[in-house]
Amino acid sequence: MELRPLGFGEIFDRAVTLYIRNIVPFAGIVMVLILPLSILQYVLDRSSQPQLDQMIKVLQNPAHAKVEHVPTILDSPASVAVLGILLFITYLFWPFALNAVAVGVARLYRNRRVEFRPCYEAVLARWRQIIALLFFQLFAFLAWYLAVVVIVVVIVVVVIALGAASSAFAFWFGFAAGLAGVIVMAPLLAPLGVSLIFAMYAAVIEECGVGESLRRGFVRVFNRTEFWRALLFSIAAGGVVLGGSMMLGMLGLVAAFAHQPALEAIIESLARATLAPFGVVLLAIYYFDVRIRREAFDLETSLDRLTGAQPA
């Protein structure tokens, strides 16, 4: 496959082409995780069915809301436990499946087939780095969240202090400061996520250590030329994946209303099996595009090493 810089349209076009041509092996790679998640999802759907029925009853008869307790998942300790296990497995093991998909894309870039065993062998060989990067990702997003909380608290305190002198000035200051905070902090989140994913790819595909992976991930995204491009790509890719998730989610909701928890679990599993690999293929192609623009020769060398291909 030709290694050259791509426009956004070409990135999406290549992602669709590679995904459709290799949908079976990509689905097989993520199915290792999706099957146990499907079982847990089925248990969760069955246990939450009575709560859903009660919520529907209240919605159909709003007057009952004043006298009846509207149930939530927190009312069932078993459901909370299953949900906790589901989230833990997803957070801990999804990166292995998704990195295996990225390795599959790397193999396609060197004209090799997407195969289950070689993809997972490349990922499992880097399990220590993946786990370490998972903890750093959690820390990075918590730091971003805490920064947002601190900014909000500071703005509120200043507005209260200014309100004693002039309520109008305090209002406009709070509005301007809040808008500035959104403009500064919101655009940071998507490029931050992209850079952390790039760090994960650097650990697996480039076989870098944790520190070097983080450095490469941030350097490739947080620069004058790539930051805004990463933000626009995140918005576009997120819109595509979110749109597909919403469509399949509506089907799952219909199955839940029809008291078909097995069908609901199947629909949700199919959503994961189809949308997650496509999203990773998109990210992987964007990752390779960034590297092609910055380090074309080094990219070919690392891909040859990863896939076992003979250097061109």
Side-chain angles (χ1 to χ4, degrees):
M1 187 180 299
E2 183 182 8
L3 295 179
R4 62 176 180 83
L6 302 174
F8 273 173
E10 292 176 304
I11 290 176
F12 279 82
D13 179 68
R14 179 170 291 188
V16 171
T17 301
L18 295 183
Y19 178 70
I20 292 177
R21 291 178 180 176
N22 300 275
I23 188 170
V24 173
F26 282 142
I29 288 173
V30 299
M31 198 60 67
V32 172
L33 181 61
I34 286 176
L35 285 177
L37 288 181
S38 300
I39 297 173
L40 290 171
Q41 187 69 55
Y42 173 72
V43 174
L44 183 63
D45 293 339
R46 275 186 62 87
S47 63
S48 61
Q49 189 66 54
Q51 302 167 11
L52 180 61
D53 293 340
Q54 185 66 18
M55 291 179 63
I56 295 174
K57 180 181 177 182
V58 171
L59 291 174
Q60 291 174 341
N61 301 279
H64 292 174
K66 298 179 181 180
V67 296
E68 295 187 17
H69 170 66
V70 179
T72 66
I73 193 173
L74 298 177
D75 295 328
S76 172
S79 297
V80 173
V82 173
L83 179 61
I85 295 172
L86 188 68
L87 293 175
F88 175 77
I89 292 177
T90 301
Y91 180 76
L92 187 60
F93 294 105
W94 257 123
F96 291 89
L98 301 189
N99 273 285
V101 173
V103 173
V105 175
R107 292 177 63 85
L108 292 174
Y109 265 71
R110 303 314 288 159
N111 300 315
R112 299 173 70 86
R113 293 189 304 167
V114 179
E115 296 178 317
F116 183 91
R117 181 172 179 176
C119 290
Y120 267 106
E121 284 180 344
V123 173
L124 293 177
R126 310 293 296 172
W127 70 269
R128 294 181 181 85
Q129 289 78 10
I130 292 175
I131 296 297
L133 287 170
L134 273 179
F135 282 105
F136 187 87
Q137 287 179 1
L138 180 62
F139 171 78
F141 285 120
L142 284 176
W144 178 88
Y145 176 76
L146 290 175
V148 171
V149 171
V150 169
I151 291 173
V152 171
V153 170
V154 170
I155 292 175
V156 170
V157 170
V158 174
V159 167
I160 292 174
L162 293 176
S166 172
S167 58
F169 179 74
F171 170 79
W172 287 111
F173 173 83
F175 176 79
L179 182 61
V182 170
I183 293 174
V184 172
M185 295 303 296
L188 284 176
L189 187 58
L192 175 63
V194 172
S195 65
L196 292 172
I197 292 173
F198 280 12
M200 193 77 73
Y201 291 167
V204 175
I205 295 174
E206 302 172 55
E207 300 180 350
C208 297
V210 175
E212 179 62 17
S213 297
L214 290 169
R215 187 193 70 81
R216 294 189 183 192
F218 278 91
V219 166
R220 287 166 178 162
V221 174
F222 285 88
N223 57 72
R224 288 188 301 174
T225 58
E226 201 59 44
F227 178 85
W228 297 109
R229 193 164 176 265
L231 177 60
L232 293 175
F233 172 82
S234 301
I235 294 173
V240 171
V241 175
L242 181 61
S245 299
M246 292 178 62
M247 292 177 61
L248 292 173
M250 290 298 295
L251 294 176
L253 191 60
V254 170
F257 286 151
H259 295 79
Q260 298 292 330
L263 180 60
E264 182 184 0
I266 290 173
I267 292 174
E268 291 170 346
S269 300
L270 288 176
R272 295 190 187 101
T274 54
L275 294 175
F278 177 70
V280 179
V281 170
L282 260 177
L283 281 166
I285 292 174
Y286 177 55
Y287 160 78
F288 291 129
D289 180 68
V290 172
R291 291 194 62 194
I292 288 168
R293 293 172 184 273
R294 294 174 58 91
E295 52 206 65
F297 179 77
D298 290 340
L299 172 60
E300 292 202 43
T301 303
S302 65
L303 287 179
D304 288 335
R305 182 179 68 252
L306 176 71
T307 61
Q310 293 297 322

